[in-house]
Amino acid sequence: MGKAAVFLLISMAVLAPLTAQARSAPLGPLVADYDALLQGRKEDGRCLPDVRPEAAEERRRRMAAFVQRLGAVDPAGLAPADRLTYRFMRWDAEDRLAGMAFDQDRMPFNSDSGFYATLTYAANRTHVHTQAEAEAWLACLDAAPDYYAANIANARRGIATGFVQPRLIVDAVLEIARKQADMPLDEDGLLSLFAGAGDQAPAWRARARQLLADKVRPAQHAFVAFLEREYRPAAPESLAARDLPNGEAYYTWAVRHHTTTPLTPDAVHDIGLKEVARIKGEMEALIRRTGFSGDFKGFLAFLRTDPRFYVTTRQALLEKASEIVKRIDDQLPAHFGRLPRLTYGVREVPRDIEDTYTTGRYFPGDAAKGIAGGFMVNTGKLDQRPLYELPALALHEAVPGHHLQTSLAGELEDLPPFRRRAYFNAYGEGWGLYSEQLGEEMGIYRDDYERFGRLSFDMWRACRLVADTGIHWKRWTLDQARACFADNTALAPHNIETELRRYIGWPGQALAYKIGELKLLELRQRAQDTLGGRFNERAFHDAVLLSGSLPLDLLEDQVTDWIAAQRR
């Protein structure tokens, strides 16, 4: 038996106490009921959720009842693996219940996501090969008018109660909505699902095209009219979530929800300032190493304008991204004891949403449905997509970032389904940012410009802590928030503006990355200091990944237990 196989067997034996799921009697029914509660019911039977207020109230009532049931269980009597599942359910259920109190359905969109993008996302995760799959997708298109109408009704409740996105966000969403409503039918990605459907594809596509014309397009035009006539006139100039009704409580919850910590907005802001100062020093040292003779701003101007750092076709950018991820694939076994079975592809961000979309993102796959994960690359505005950022982006969004983490979690058959599906932002985005730094150890960055791109991405996430709390808690202006990114990162101007809109429209989400990464780095350093020569990077990564996504305090406990097991 080879060394790798021996290591894998040892690693699995060590991790078994952390992942085995021999449930004690009190927990079994709770696990099944929580999974059913999170799965919920989709009234159309297909892909669109029920967002009516009465459905939301029923979900809130059921969640409150479940939290009460959890309170009746004594976790001290549970096996270690069950105790972790219990703590997971308690943290998650209480957090969800707290979020429900703010009736966020009243604000059903932000600048790069929301109900208007649900069909686009669904199309990118759907394959049609059979009659049943075709009928499911056609039913989804048929249900679009009711789904749009319900979300518009929720947004009207937002107008009536003052829970409304700022005008800056409304203008961005209006741009997307108009583009979707005016797109020629035959260019719409919602019809792209039938390519592998064989002889029946033309008939299914024709039915889908008719539904697109008769149902989806009118709903999209109605959304445009609503934004123009009702929502935009009611949109405030203020950018701060703190200025919304009950806004201080709402933003405080958002910080806790996205970081999975009790950190206050002011504490997060201070962490951001310290990280900005630290990373700036590393960037300046790297600039001197390149031999560049100008100042920091001059170096940023050089990176943003030199043609060597840009491609001129969408295909060229996809090819560059593909080459990078294959080099990363080549290094994965040296750093991870277990890798996922599910593959991933490199794809374009859907063009109907690319103009206001982030530079890249990961779309999860589904092995049961035969769908690979997707490293989504924004191929619009190519003069704003520098190549020196591409390795860090690939490490974060593809491997060993989101694809590796989420796919491994989905394959942990010993975990309850809701834990395999879970995604806590601080854990997932923290892992993505940790993966960017891990690229240094993996040898992925080939020159100092790409290393500077990695530092620029790190600075980007540090500035997020400063800007998100600055905007939503300290009531900063857009110019104040923009300054951190423009003065300290090599991000292209278009990306900076896109990102700022994202932070404004989605309070707190941007805080997850750096807070999660700092915790992971802290845990790794603790393991290295404690274990010394016995520290094994591959085993550490498995300890982090093979319990699925967790709130940061639960993750810390898991790693602490793993360190103790290594010392025995």
Side-chain angles (χ1 to χ4, degrees):
M1 185 179 289
K3 291 182 179 179
V6 171
F7 168 80
L8 183 58
L9 289 174
I10 294 172
S11 177
M12 291 172 65
V14 169
L15 287 167
L18 304 181
T19 58
Q21 288 293 313
R23 294 184 189 79
S24 46
L27 203 62
L30 285 168
V31 167
D33 290 348
Y34 197 53
D35 191 61
L37 181 59
L38 294 187
Q39 286 282 64
R41 294 174 58 198
K42 296 173 181 177
E43 295 301 324
D44 53 54
R46 302 300 192 270
C47 70
L48 300 175
D50 186 349
V51 298
R52 297 171 302 160
E54 53 267 35
E57 173 56 26
E58 174 63 14
R59 288 192 290 269
R60 189 207 62 78
R61 186 193 63 77
R62 294 176 65 198
M63 190 64 71
F66 188 81
V67 168
Q68 190 172 21
R69 288 175 63 194
L70 286 173
V73 175
D74 179 9
L78 299 173
D82 280 355
R83 194 176 304 124
L84 177 60
T85 292
Y86 171 83
R87 293 179 64 198
F88 177 105
M89 289 192 294
R90 183 135 198 182
W91 198 103
D92 189 50
E94 290 177 349
D95 177 64
R96 288 174 185 269
L97 186 60
M100 289 173 180
F102 298 105
D103 189 11
Q104 296 173 83
D105 287 345
R106 293 175 294 164
M107 196 181 283
F109 58 80
N110 56 50
S111 63
D112 78 349
S113 62
F115 79 89
Y116 64 85
T118 301
L119 286 172
T120 297
Y121 289 147
N124 276 273
R125 296 196 65 218
T126 302
H127 286 179
V128 173
H129 299 287
T130 67
Q131 182 73 38
E133 291 169 342
E135 294 299 337
W137 181 245
L138 294 169
C140 193
L141 296 179
D142 187 60
D146 289 342
Y147 180 65
Y148 268 74
N151 278 284
I152 290 172
N154 283 339
R156 284 196 176 102
R157 290 193 299 109
I159 294 172
T161 55
F163 200 73
V164 181
Q165 287 281 15
R167 185 162 296 181
L168 180 73
I169 303 305
V170 182
D171 288 341
V173 175
L174 189 51
E175 181 180 343
I176 301 170
R178 286 170 176 158
K179 186 173 182 178
Q180 288 181 324
D182 294 337
M183 179 175 290
L185 292 179
D186 291 322
E187 296 177 15
D188 199 308
L190 302 183
L191 300 181
S192 65
L193 290 66
F194 306 102
D199 293 341
Q200 299 182 82
W204 290 339
R205 179 183 168 88
R207 289 175 60 193
R209 190 182 189 281
Q210 196 64 50
L211 286 168
L212 195 60
D214 295 344
K215 297 291 187 78
V216 179
R217 282 292 183 270
Q220 291 171 331
H221 281 292
F223 180 47
V224 171
F226 166 72
L227 289 175
E228 292 174 339
R229 299 169 188 171
E230 299 181 52
Y231 202 90
R232 191 178 188 279
E237 295 293 340
S238 172
L239 308 177
R242 195 173 189 175
D243 289 338
L244 294 168
N246 201 23
E248 289 194 10
Y250 172 57
Y251 187 65
T252 300
W253 168 81
V255 172
R256 181 182 185 277
H257 170 72
H258 289 294
T259 68
T260 69
T261 73
L263 288 169
T264 66
D266 288 319
V268 171
H269 191 84
D270 290 343
I271 292 170
L273 292 174
K274 291 175 183 176
E275 281 293 284
V276 167
R278 177 189 67 79
I279 300 165
K280 186 70 171 286
E282 293 186 28
M283 296 172 89
E284 289 175 336
L286 189 55
I287 291 172
R288 290 192 294 272
R289 199 168 79 189
T290 68
F292 184 80
S293 58
D295 61 9
F296 189 86
K297 287 189 176 180
F299 189 71
L300 296 185
F302 156 66
L303 290 178
R304 288 168 176 161
T305 57
D306 192 301
R308 83 178 84 169
F309 299 123
Y310 300 86
V311 295
T312 57
T313 68
R314 294 175 183 264
Q315 184 63 27
L317 188 61
L318 291 174
E319 289 175 359
K320 291 284 188 182
S322 300
E323 187 274 334
I324 291 168
V325 294
K326 289 313 295 180
R327 283 195 288 111
I328 300 172
D329 282 344
D330 190 49
Q331 298 301 314
L332 290 178
H335 298 270
F336 296 88
R338 180 168 170 179
L339 297 173
R341 297 187 299 273
L342 186 67
T343 60
Y344 66 96
V346 179
R347 309 174 197 148
E348 288 184 329
V349 167
R351 296 190 185 187
D352 62 322
I353 60 175
E354 69 180 7
D355 288 349
T356 58
Y357 205 73
T358 189
T359 188
R361 191 163 284 177
Y362 175 70
F363 282 9
D366 189 327
K369 296 180 180 178
I371 300 172
F375 170 29
M376 313 301 295
V377 179
N378 196 324
T379 60
K381 300 186 186 300
L382 290 170
D383 62 341
Q384 306 286 301
R385 312 292 177 198
L387 298 178
Y388 53 78
E389 293 179 349
L390 206 50
L393 182 68
L395 286 155
H396 184 115
E397 302 296 345
V399 286
H402 291 326
H403 174 73
L404 190 149
Q405 179 257 313
T406 59
S407 297
L408 270 181
E411 295 171 10
L412 296 175
E413 295 180 357
D414 287 339
L415 297 186
F418 61 82
R419 284 187 58 190
R420 297 200 296 268
R421 296 189 303 267
Y423 190 86
F424 292 97
N425 278 333
Y427 176 97
E429 301 301 345
W431 176 259
L433 185 50
Y434 171 87
S435 296
E436 295 176 29
Q437 181 161 291
L438 188 61
E440 297 277 10
E441 298 176 37
M442 299 173 73
I444 304 305
Y445 302 104
R446 292 173 293 187
D447 58 38
D448 284 337
Y449 300 116
E450 291 184 349
R451 294 184 187 94
F452 191 87
R454 200 275 296 176
L455 287 176
S456 178
F457 265 33
D458 201 22
M459 179 68 85
W460 172 21
R461 278 43 170 262
C463 284
R464 283 177 170 180
L465 300 185
V466 176
D468 195 288
T469 53
I471 290 167
H472 292 296
W473 194 248
K474 299 178 181 296
R475 298 185 174 94
W476 278 9
T477 66
L478 192 62
D479 285 342
Q480 286 177 291
R482 183 184 293 114
C484 189
F485 302 96
D487 295 345
N488 299 296
T489 78
L491 292 175
H494 173 76
N495 288 343
I496 292 174
E497 298 310 307
T498 299
E499 290 297 317
L500 286 170
R501 288 194 297 266
R502 177 179 166 193
Y503 313 147
I504 292 164
W506 197 355
Q509 192 273 343
L511 308 178
Y513 301 70
K514 176 56 69 171
I515 297 300
E517 180 221 25
L518 289 174
K519 176 56 68 175
L520 284 165
L521 292 174
E522 173 197 325
L523 294 176
R524 175 166 174 163
Q525 190 62 54
R526 185 190 307 172
Q528 289 175 310
D529 291 345
T530 303
L531 298 176
R534 298 174 67 184
F535 175 79
N536 184 291
E537 180 196 28
R538 298 171 78 209
F540 170 76
H541 288 154
D542 285 354
V544 168
L545 294 169
L546 296 187
S547 289
S549 187
L550 295 169
L552 294 183
D553 58 340
L554 272 64
L555 173 65
E556 182 167 4
D557 289 347
Q558 285 295 95
V559 173
T560 299
D561 290 347
W562 174 80
I563 293 172
Q566 307 308 295
R567 299 182 68 185
R568 295 191 187 109

